[in-house]
Amino acid sequence: MAIRNILHYPDSRLRTQAKPVPEVDDAIRQLIDDMAETMYDAPGIGLAATQINVHLRIVVIDITREHNQLHVFINPEIIDRQGEETMEEGCLSVPGIYEPVTRAEKITVKALDKNGAPFELEVEGLLAVCIQHEIDHLDGKVFVDYLSRLKQQRIQKKLEKQQRVAM
């Protein structure tokens, strides 16, 4: 396993549309292991392959404090959305920024698991928000896209300043 570098907003590579995984093989399983290790190390609760500059439709999520319930979604697709919920979101690609975002309260997602087996899952709350957030990454969207243009500009300037100070 290896910890990968996470791309930071406004890196243009975060806008890349991820391609479907044609076959779940050992290389894909190794990538999933690397993604999980990277997410836990960051620390975060979700990571899309796009965020580590791999443009395949893979998401890992673990919302537990103990890091013992890793969810793997390969080629995820939301097939049903219900309700509406606003929750404060953060993102490993937008470090230190938290803003309220409105998303579906309950979703049904279909995907392949780490072994390539298809499954469907109906979820709500934090897990539903995380799945929607990570699928956005696969579609080239970042959560700040839901914010006003003014907030986006402020966030971009703040992150650029943080990067200059870190150098």
Side-chain angles (χ1 to χ4, degrees):
M1 294 199 303
I3 294 174
R4 307 280 191 106
N5 290 326
I6 297 173
L7 301 177
H8 289 150
Y9 177 82
D11 192 309
S12 62
R13 294 172 290 182
L14 290 168
R15 300 298 182 185
T16 306
Q17 292 269 336
K19 294 188 176 0
V21 174
E23 178 187 359
V24 179
D25 56 17
D26 287 343
I28 294 297
R29 283 186 281 277
Q30 180 61 56
L31 173 61
I32 290 165
D33 290 344
D34 290 354
M35 288 174 64
E37 186 175 5
T38 301
M39 175 186 71
Y40 291 137
D41 181 70
I45 60 172
L47 186 71
T50 301
Q51 292 176 271
I52 59 167
N53 200 29
V54 175
H55 303 288
L56 293 172
R57 296 190 73 79
I58 304 172
V59 166
V60 295
I61 295 173
D62 187 342
I63 60 173
T64 66
R65 291 184 198 272
E66 302 79 25
H67 298 163
N68 63 2
Q69 289 184 17
L70 183 69
H71 294 276
V72 174
F73 301 89
I74 300 171
N75 299 334
E77 181 184 339
I78 296 172
I79 57 174
D80 188 43
R81 299 172 195 265
Q82 296 173 24
E84 203 173 81
E85 180 174 33
T86 301
M87 195 178 283
E88 190 169 78
E89 292 187 25
C91 180
L92 295 175
S93 291
V94 191
I97 305 296
Y98 300 90
E99 292 288 340
V101 177
T102 302
R103 297 188 185 272
E105 179 181 21
K106 189 181 212 179
I107 63 166
T108 303
V109 61
K110 72 175 187 177
L112 302 176
D113 68 14
K114 191 175 179 178
N115 296 313
F119 69 94
E120 276 188 24
L121 189 62
E122 187 176 298
V123 295
E124 57 189 319
L126 182 57
L127 185 54
V129 168
C130 287
I131 292 169
Q132 292 170 85
H133 176 111
E134 300 306 335
I135 289 176
D136 274 355
H137 278 300
L138 301 179
D139 295 334
K141 273 183 98 169
V142 182
F143 89 99
V144 296
D145 295 347
Y146 291 93
L147 308 177
S148 70
R149 186 59 72 208
L150 179 61
K151 275 193 176 180
Q152 289 176 30
Q153 290 169 346
R154 285 183 181 160
I155 289 167
Q156 188 168 340
K157 284 180 182 163
K158 182 177 181 179
L159 292 174
E160 287 169 353
K161 184 179 179 183
Q162 286 174 356
Q163 287 173 349
R164 282 195 306 273
V165 170
M167 291 179 163

